Amino acid sequence: LVPFASRDDVDFYTRLEGCLRTDASRPTGREPQAYRSYYAPVKHVVDGDLCENYGKLTHDEQKKIAERLDRTVGEIVKKLEDTRNALL
């Protein structure tokens, strides 16, 4: 677990996770929220693994999600990379 530095990061990743939960295909067919909270309820935690799957989507799917977030695909990818690199 890694805490976010700003409220903007929390809002961005929460919205991204929500879009990915509804729009992205699931290889296992399971609902991500139900899977993550199988043993204990998950509250106030963003699923980083799910957010990282944004880069694995097709360009059309990425563009659709980016439009819902009012950002470009490049901005989202850069934000993901910046967060990942801040941890290293």
Side-chain angles (χ1 to χ4, degrees):
L1 292 174
V2 177
F4 287 115
S6 70
R7 184 70 190 166
D8 291 336
D9 288 345
V10 173
D11 292 339
F12 169 77
Y13 280 105
T14 302
R15 290 181 61 211
L16 177 61
E17 179 188 25
C19 290
L20 288 168
R21 253 196 255 142
T22 57
D23 294 343
S25 61
R26 301 174 192 100
T28 61
R30 296 179 73 181
E31 170 63 34
Q33 186 68 17
Y35 172 76
R36 291 292 184 195
S37 60
Y38 185 76
Y39 293 106
V42 177
K43 292 183 179 181
H44 307 295
V45 176
V46 175
D47 188 347
D49 292 333
L50 184 61
C51 291
E52 279 293 319
N53 284 335
Y54 180 80
K56 297 176 184 174
L57 299 174
T58 65
H59 183 68
D60 291 336
E61 291 174 319
Q62 288 179 349
K63 190 173 180 181
K64 180 180 172 184
I65 291 171
E67 288 173 356
R68 286 182 60 194
L69 296 175
D70 296 325
R71 298 194 180 226
T72 65
V73 173
E75 289 174 339
I76 294 173
V77 170
K78 176 145 179 42
K79 184 90 166 168
L80 288 167
E81 289 174 356
D82 290 345
T83 302
R84 186 182 321 112
N85 291 337
L87 300 174
L88 300 176

